[in-house]
Amino acid sequence: MKRLIAIYDLDGTLLKHATFTPFLLFAARRHAPWKLALVPIWIGAMIAYKAGLFSREALKSFGLKLLVGRIDQPGLDELAVAFADKILPGWIGNGAQIALSRDRGEGRLLILATAAMEFYAGEIARRIGFDHVIATRHADPRGAFCQIEGGNCYGDAKVPRVEALLASIGLSRSDCDVRFYTDSTSDAPLLDWSDEPVLVDAGARGRGMAKARGWALTRFA
């Protein structure tokens, strides 16, 4: 029998909201409140990203440097725990709760695959009961904390990272039956790779892509 697996995106899927900017603001307020005066610079950076002047990876590195800065591992762990305390369980949508209950009932291995930062995504996943986390990693916080390590876990990057995780636990793609939930069409590579692709809370463009590519549609919000 194939190993049953359920993969969830985080921002806008498992959780009702994006997490990166809320985390930056939370971290600044808790770790270095004076950095809140730099928020207009962060807003400008996001506008520059939308204009194509920043990559996603560069934007994240800049945000971490601007609003978090140097921090040791215990301090980072404390921020991750406190942030999870703040947003859980309130940010989990009813539809996501229902899907998780169904997937657990079917005995599926639960994997979180997200572009969010691993240090807080891992804490969120641990509390909800995920078995594995694939997320964007940062360099050693004792050194260049603000650098992204291994690339942003976004779009095309997710499929090879899921395959690497499966291989690390002794599974190949052919061994698995994979259900994947995401709210973003940027996850099209992983949706197409999955046996049961599910697009969550889609707009008109997403619904059109889902119809053309055979993805299921559902509501989590």
Side-chain angles (χ1 to χ4, degrees):
M1 292 181 63
K2 292 194 173 186
R3 184 68 170 95
L4 300 180
I5 294 174
I7 305 175
Y8 287 74
D9 177 45
L10 183 65
D11 293 7
T13 304
L14 183 66
L15 301 182
K16 292 181 283 188
H17 309 291
T19 56
F20 188 65
T21 293
F23 173 80
L24 292 180
L25 298 177
F26 177 86
R29 191 175 297 113
R30 189 178 181 95
H31 179 61
W34 67 268
K35 287 181 176 285
L36 292 173
L38 305 176
V39 169
I41 299 175
W42 173 241
I43 293 171
M46 289 192 289
I47 293 170
Y49 161 72
K50 291 290 187 182
L53 302 180
F54 272 109
S55 68
R56 287 177 179 268
E57 184 174 329
L59 181 69
K60 284 184 174 179
S61 293
F62 180 75
L64 291 170
K65 182 176 182 179
L66 182 73
L67 293 173
V68 183
R70 286 189 177 272
I71 187 170
D72 60 18
Q73 190 63 53
L76 189 59
D77 293 342
E78 180 184 346
L79 281 177
V81 168
F83 183 61
D85 285 341
K86 177 180 173 62
I87 68 173
L88 295 179
W91 283 22
I92 305 174
N94 290 336
Q97 293 277 26
I98 292 168
L100 282 167
S101 180
R102 181 183 68 168
D103 290 333
R104 287 193 185 102
E106 293 176 358
R108 289 183 180 266
L109 189 75
L110 297 180
I111 299 172
L112 186 67
T114 175
M117 299 305 300
E118 187 176 58
F119 55 83
Y120 68 76
E123 178 64 21
I124 292 167
R126 183 189 66 78
R127 294 184 184 210
I128 295 172
F130 278 80
D131 299 291
H132 300 281
V133 178
I134 298 167
T136 301
R137 297 183 291 260
H138 67 284
D140 187 341
R142 293 172 298 178
F145 162 68
C146 304
Q147 292 182 2
I148 301 301
E149 189 172 75
N152 193 35
C153 186
Y154 179 83
D156 291 341
K158 285 189 179 180
V159 172
R161 291 195 60 181
V162 169
E163 291 177 334
L165 171 64
L166 294 178
S168 75
I169 57 177
L171 295 171
S172 68
R173 177 66 185 87
S174 61
D175 296 325
C176 305
D177 182 281
V178 179
R179 180 181 292 154
F180 173 50
Y181 307 90
T182 182
D183 72 307
S184 177
T185 56
S186 68
D187 281 325
L190 191 52
L191 285 162
D192 289 337
W193 180 90
S194 301
D195 298 287
E196 200 173 327
V198 184
L199 189 63
V200 174
D201 300 330
R205 178 175 177 271
R207 291 193 298 271
M209 287 184 67
K211 182 177 180 180
R213 299 170 83 152
W215 307 336
L217 293 166
T218 195
R219 302 292 299 176
F220 272 8

